[in-house]
Amino acid sequence: MDPERIRIIIADDQPLIRHGIGFIIKAQQDMEWCGEAGDGREAVNLAVRTRPHIALMDVQMPGMNGIEATRELRRQLPECKVIILTTFDLEEYVYEGIRAGAVGYLLKDAAPEELLHSIRAASRGEAIYRTGAAARMISEALRQTESFQDRQDMRLSLPDPLTDRELEVLQEMAYGLKNEDIAAKLHISESTVKTHVHRVLQKIGAEDRTQAVVLAIRNQWVQ
């Protein structure tokens, strides 16, 4: 086991997909192939046994599906990062994947270079949601979210609580607004918005705006 290499498993009910991606992974000097599973339960057991850094997870599989497996894997092995890998570019899958704890959502028709880039990015702690459904979900689906955690509870749960204004900025970020649009909507300067965005990222431990929105969705900090 090389601690410098990114350890990877895949869960998919199609052997051809598993073998093809395995071939690509094995050719990378900075990656280590740790095995494959044909369903969600097998994937969780494999992950617990091999302790990978990254799990590539299909959604539709027999028995335990990929969303359920992601949730269980994250419960048993929280240090493992899950990338949903599916044929379906659906907002529902993106949303449920985020809620289950996945850090990325990638389509199976992605180029090998994009897959490898996503794995490396996820290993650095980045969120990878760049499909059409992900973009629509982040900018629009939150408007339809019924469940909303009380803001006071959220503030108390953070070591350095967000202010009311920072919560407002995070909400507008979740709707997909740019800094200039947030400034106009909240009647503040763009430089002030940039300051609030920077503070939000610091306080919630996000590396970029996408990761901040993912965390906000997962924890129901925005509506």
Side-chain angles (χ1 to χ4, degrees), residues 8 13 17 45 50 54 78 96 100 133 142 149-150 174 178 218:
I8 302 158
D13 62 350
I17 294 292
N45 293 336
T50 62
I54 303 291
E96 291 303 322
L142 287 173
Q149 179 175 326
D150 181 76
K178 298 179 181 178
R218 185 181 297 161

Side-chain angles (χ1 to χ4, degrees), residues 134-143 167-177 182 209 212-214 216-217 221-223:
R136 292 191 301 273
M137 188 278 299
I138 288 174
S139 63
E140 298 175 6
L142 287 173
R143 303 176 191 277
L167 281 169
E168 288 180 313
V169 170
L170 178 58
Q171 175 74 71
E172 301 310 325
M173 288 166 58
Y175 285 140
L177 271 63
I182 296 175
R209 294 171 74 104
V213 171
V214 169
I217 295 169
W221 293 343
V222 293
Q223 62 180 346

Side-chain angles (χ1 to χ4, degrees), residues 85-106:
L85 186 63
T86 180
T87 305
F88 305 98
D89 191 14
L90 301 175
E91 293 177 17
E92 177 185 358
Y93 285 173
V94 177
Y95 182 77
E96 291 303 322
I98 291 174
R99 293 295 303 278
V103 301
Y105 191 95
L106 197 64

